[in-house]
Amino acid sequence: MTISLIQAILIGLWTAFCFSGMLLGLYTNRCIVLSLGVGVILGDISTALAVGAISELAYMGFGVGAGGTVPPNPIGPGIFGTLMAITTVAAKDKITPEAALALSTPIAVGIQFLQTATYTAFAGAPETAKKALKNGDIRKFKMAANGTIWAFALVGFLLGLVGALSMETLTNLFAMIPPVLLNGLTLAGKMLPAIGFAMILSVMAKKELIPYIILGYVLAVYFGLPVLTPTANGDGLLTAVSSSSVAGIPTIGVALIATIFALIDMFRKPAKVEAETKTEGDDRDDWI
């Protein structure tokens, strides 16, 4: 698939909006959101959502940032990974969503370094804005206050534009990857969501929650709860197919059961009783 200049510009604008939107408190810099926009622009929403969904599972854990670690940036799989999968969907050795996640991870790490460099370049912006406001220079204040947002928008636009325009070259390089290595990347991509969840558990799990974690694992692996798996039909439209195979991800069934236990635990908790404090005597008794 060849990406036109108009589509590349639109992908750049979409990346700019999503990358800078996180500074405005919007959850736009997420894999599923980034992938959806690319899918709409390129006309392949089903492949885009497949890449975004599996990437979101992994990056939920990566985004925890345990300790002082800096997690990879979602633009990697959200933009570059989705572009890899969509542009090779008609090729003989197409890039699967799992392989796209694995291939885009080094790019995501590099983008995170670029994000850190952008933050560093504008580290003095708050102090500059404060001084401009004290001096009554509103124009300089607005430039300093919004400079980081515009910088992130520019960086995002360049990332999206360059990524879209370079896909033809990258596609030719992907064609040179041996099938054995591609299968290995696909397997590695399937393991990344498990690593992401392990990172979440390492930070959030408490000993009181261990029985629920084991229960969820048993339900997912041994019971094979039914799950509605989105697949694409011959016309490229998404259709929901019920599957009870353990190869599927029974997220909905496990989530409903987890909701039941969460509600039971919440309703069983006793109401907080405020301790009644009684003051005996007056303030002059304190020193007795």
Side-chain angles (χ1 to χ4, degrees):
M1 177 183 179
T2 304
I3 300 176
S4 66
L5 180 60
I6 300 299
Q7 289 176 323
I9 293 175
L10 290 176
I11 291 173
L13 292 173
W14 176 248
T15 310
F17 168 73
C18 293
F19 196 31
S20 60
M22 67 177 182
L23 298 180
L24 301 174
L26 305 175
Y27 287 90
T28 51
N29 195 39
R30 300 300 309 173
C31 298
I32 193 70
V33 178
L34 291 160
S35 298
L36 177 60
V38 175
V40 171
I41 294 171
L42 299 183
D44 192 349
I45 298 178
S46 58
T47 303
L49 288 178
V51 177
I54 191 171
S55 301
E56 193 67 40
L57 289 175
Y59 276 68
M60 278 194 299
F62 295 163
V64 172
T69 60
V70 179
N73 196 288
I75 290 180
I79 298 296
F80 288 85
T82 306
L83 287 171
M84 294 176 191
I86 292 179
T87 53
T88 62
V89 71
K92 181 180 179 181
D93 297 324
K94 67 177 182 177
I95 303 295
T96 62
E98 295 84 359
L101 172 59
L103 285 169
S104 63
T105 300
I107 301 175
V109 175
I111 295 175
Q112 188 60 42
F113 279 109
L114 185 60
Q115 175 179 323
T116 303
T118 307
Y119 274 130
T120 305
F122 286 85
E127 189 65 27
T128 304
K130 187 188 298 184
K131 291 181 179 179
L133 191 60
K134 287 182 178 180
N135 297 331
D137 192 346
I138 303 300
R139 182 173 177 274
K140 187 176 181 180
F141 167 75
K142 289 182 178 180
M143 291 178 59
N146 300 321
T148 309
I149 298 175
W150 288 109
F152 269 70
L154 177 61
V155 172
F157 176 77
L158 293 176
L159 287 172
L161 181 65
V162 171
L165 293 178
S166 63
M167 269 305 124
E168 186 174 354
T169 303
L170 291 177
T171 302
N172 296 331
L173 293 176
F174 294 151
M176 301 171 62
I177 299 177
V180 177
L181 181 58
L182 203 58
N183 292 335
L185 290 172
T186 301
L187 182 61
K190 291 181 179 180
M191 294 174 62
L192 286 176
I195 296 174
F197 273 100
M199 293 180 67
I200 291 178
L201 293 178
S202 67
V203 177
M204 301 177 61
K206 299 179 180 179
K207 60 181 181 180
E208 296 85 358
L209 302 178
I210 292 178
Y212 300 107
I213 296 172
I214 298 176
L215 175 63
Y217 176 79
V218 171
L219 292 174
V221 176
Y222 293 100
F223 284 81
L225 293 179
V227 55
L228 292 179
T229 306
T231 58
N233 59 17
D235 299 327
L237 300 177
L238 286 176
T239 56
V241 179
S242 179
S243 171
S244 59
S245 172
V246 294
I249 305 176
T251 332
I252 298 177
V254 175
L256 290 174
I257 295 177
T259 303
I260 294 173
F261 280 100
L263 292 174
I264 292 175
D265 185 64
M266 183 179 67
F267 293 146
R268 278 184 176 178
K269 285 185 177 179
K272 292 183 179 180
V273 180
E274 295 183 0
E276 184 177 348
T277 57
K278 295 183 179 180
T279 304
E280 296 182 2
D282 52 20
D283 295 336
R284 284 177 289 186
D285 296 333
D286 294 342
W287 298 95
I288 298 177

